[in-house]
Amino acid sequence: MAVQKTDRVLSCLLIILSGIFIAGGVAGIWLEYQQNFWPTAQGKITDSGVFAHRSAILPTWYVGFEYRIEGKSYRQSDDSRKFGQPIFFFYGDAKRYAEIHFPPGKEVTVRYNSKEPSEAVLIPGIRTVWLSSIPFVGFFLFLAFYFRRSKAV
């Protein structure tokens, strides 16, 4: 009897924890989706290239850019760690893409957060789509395990 009660309490705590992770993932996706509706400003590419992180499996291209809002200059960077951006398996391909599409000096349209103009993106989109799906998967796996176990008892 005490074991079943402990299992139920633990199951409830895990469901609540999974719900918190799901809410965090959905909130992150929503905030990044909102970038599509930020106001725009004209900017200029300052540099572009590729970095290969030790923790990254694939090379990531990046773009540095500057822009002006109400007479004040800002510098920012953006990169390819977003859902829907081209993914390359080879460093050279990623570098060529960055050089062709984002050469230094190129005029670009920048989307910036009107509440915090120093926050800007060159390419709006969702970066955390893969990370955000992990809690969903974990939640459903947990439910499957929980219901399977409760039927076995």
Side-chain angles (χ1 to χ4, degrees):
M1 180 75 175
V3 172
Q4 287 180 342
K5 186 174 184 180
T6 304
D7 285 349
R8 286 185 183 158
V9 169
L10 181 59
S11 296
C12 287
L13 288 174
L14 289 173
I15 288 173
I16 290 169
L17 185 62
S18 296
I20 291 169
F21 279 109
I22 289 171
V26 170
I29 289 172
W30 177 252
L31 290 173
E32 290 174 350
Y33 172 74
Q34 291 298 309
Q35 294 173 349
N36 292 298
F37 307 103
W38 285 356
T40 60
Q42 286 307 110
K44 186 182 283 190
I45 302 293
T46 56
D47 65 321
S48 63
V50 178
F51 61 88
H53 226 254
R54 285 185 183 192
S55 63
I57 297 171
L58 303 172
T60 302
W61 52 264
Y62 70 89
V63 181
F65 57 94
E66 57 187 22
Y67 58 101
R68 293 180 69 83
I69 307 293
E70 298 176 5
K72 186 171 179 184
S73 293
Y74 297 94
R75 290 183 67 93
Q76 192 62 263
S77 63
D78 209 349
D79 60 53
S80 62
R81 294 177 290 181
K82 292 182 183 168
F83 180 71
Q85 297 305 314
I87 296 172
F88 299 97
F89 292 99
F90 301 104
Y91 181 89
D93 293 339
K95 184 175 181 184
R96 272 190 299 283
Y97 179 84
E99 289 170 349
I100 291 169
H101 294 282
F102 306 108
K106 179 181 178 181
E107 296 287 326
V108 291
T109 301
V110 175
R111 293 201 175 269
Y112 67 94
N113 184 344
S114 59
K115 295 175 185 166
E116 185 61 47
S118 63
E119 183 181 353
V121 294
L122 193 57
I123 306 165
I126 298 173
R127 295 179 197 269
T128 58
V129 75
W130 295 108
L131 234 63
S132 299
S133 65
I134 292 170
F136 290 103
V137 172
F139 179 71
F140 291 120
L141 287 174
F142 167 74
L143 283 179
F145 176 79
Y146 175 74
F147 288 121
R148 182 174 177 220
R149 182 172 177 200
S150 62
K151 287 182 179 183
V153 173

